[in-house]
Amino acid sequence: MPPTISTINPSQGPTTGGTTVTLTGTGMTGATAVRFGSTDATSFTVNSATQITAVSPPRAAGAAAVTVLHPTGNSNSVTFTYVVAQVPVVTVVAPSSGPASGGTSVTLTGTGFTGATAVTFAGIPAMSFTVNSASQITAVTPAGNAGAAVVTVTTPGGVSAPDAFFFYAAPPVLNTAVPAQGPSAGGLVVTLTGINLLNAGAVRFGATDAASFAVVSTTQITATSPPGTGSSPITVITPGGTSNPVAFSYVATPTLTALVPSSGPTSAGTVVTLTGTNLASALAVAFGGTAVSFTVASGTQITATAPAGPAGPVTVTITTAGGVSPGLTYNRVVEPGI
């Protein structure tokens, strides 16, 4: 009994031939040839009694009747349409940049992608690619050198012009974060220095995105810290990848619980012991807004020298990386005359 063909897939290909088609049907065991019109397939394989794969031969544009030849007779025919192969054109590469290590999934948009046999980035084959349609391909970038890489698509119609580019970005590197401590409430502007910082898409304090950031140059970013606690290393994310972390830690707001002594003369020189919490990162001690010299004895104690001033109360505060403490009152009194 002659074989029958129920489907052919794909049902069209270029006039240059070379399209692998799958014929499904019945009675295909023992087939002696597959013909496209009057021309034998370049090659064919009988996979089973219900399936043959065949490679289309070159042929003029138009419809060709595909048949299977068999000792019991020829099959019915199905139509395969030859089309003039179109030179592919790549118009958009998205995203247009990624790390030099490769592995970025990009979508190529253009025309003439049917039957694509290769996608290259600066001459290096894509790690993988899928032809989604005649106008779209998804490809995974190979590793490459930092800079612009020409993207090309090869089809039976030829190779696309070198007009589309993918930009390999060098990985970002961070050197410093200044200051490296800030209040747990956030809001501190931190200056980050390093290299390859252009086109940063995110700055993170630990796992939390910065409240805001600005790329100043390829070597500098300013970022505003979000609220947080404890150690929160900072990283920068660019098309080139994620940077190394640099240290940043959150400091709790300082408190003041006692001043000893809590009063003194209007003249300068009284050494006052300030007791409280979270004092280790003290940056300033002020009596009534006047900064004074001080020594950090521990996280709970500071000694400071009271400045001269008029008689009466003044507010004493401590400023640390965690902010400004609530104030305590220090009283200046007039010394009795003789």
Side-chain angles (χ1 to χ4, degrees):
M1 198 175 166
T4 63
I5 305 174
S6 55
T7 63
I8 181 171
N9 185 45
S11 61
Q12 70 174 31
T15 56
T16 52
T19 303
T20 298
V21 301
T22 300
L23 306 174
T24 56
T26 61
M28 296 184 175
T29 302
T32 57
V34 174
R35 284 190 180 152
F36 289 70
S38 59
T39 308
D40 284 352
T42 302
S43 64
F44 74 95
T45 302
V46 178
N47 303 316
S48 68
T50 60
Q51 187 182 87
I52 289 176
T53 53
V55 178
S56 65
R59 189 176 168 87
V66 179
T67 56
V68 174
L69 277 61
H70 194 276
T72 60
N74 296 342
S75 71
N76 61 301
S77 66
V78 291
T79 301
F80 180 85
T81 303
Y82 280 91
V83 295
V84 176
Q86 181 181 2
V87 177
V89 176
V90 181
T91 55
V92 178
V93 179
S96 60
S97 61
S101 57
T104 302
S105 179
V106 300
T107 299
L108 310 180
T109 302
T111 57
F113 293 162
T114 301
T117 57
V119 176
T120 64
F121 293 77
I124 301 172
M127 294 175 64
S128 63
F129 72 92
T130 301
V131 180
N132 303 317
S133 68
S135 60
Q136 187 181 88
I137 289 175
T138 54
V140 178
T141 62
N145 296 320
V150 173
V151 181
T152 62
V153 172
T154 301
T155 71
V159 180
S160 62
D163 297 330
F165 297 89
F166 180 84
F167 295 88
Y168 282 105
V173 176
L174 285 179
N175 297 326
T176 61
V178 179
Q181 291 182 314
S184 56
L188 178 72
V189 176
V190 179
T191 298
L192 306 173
T193 58
I195 58 174
N196 306 321
L197 304 183
L198 287 179
N199 300 314
V203 175
R204 290 188 179 149
F205 288 69
T208 306
D209 284 350
S212 63
F213 71 92
V215 178
V216 178
S217 68
T218 189
T219 61
Q220 188 178 94
I221 289 176
T222 56
T224 302
S225 64
T229 59
S231 174
S232 294
I234 301 173
T235 54
V236 172
I237 300 172
T238 74
T242 301
S243 74
N244 59 295
V246 289
F248 182 85
S249 59
Y250 287 98
V251 180
T253 304
T255 66
L256 272 179
T257 57
L259 302 177
V260 179
S262 60
S263 62
T266 55
S267 59
T270 301
V271 175
V272 181
T273 299
L274 293 71
T275 303
T277 61
N278 307 315
L279 306 182
S281 63
L283 303 172
V285 175
F287 282 67
T290 301
V292 301
S293 61
F294 66 93
T295 301
V296 177
S298 69
T300 60
Q301 192 173 89
I302 288 176
T303 56
T305 303
V314 293
T315 299
V316 179
T317 58
I318 296 176
T319 301
T320 72
V324 180
S325 72
L328 289 182
T329 300
Y330 177 81
N331 281 296
R332 292 194 185 96
V333 295
V334 177
E335 296 181 71
I338 298 176

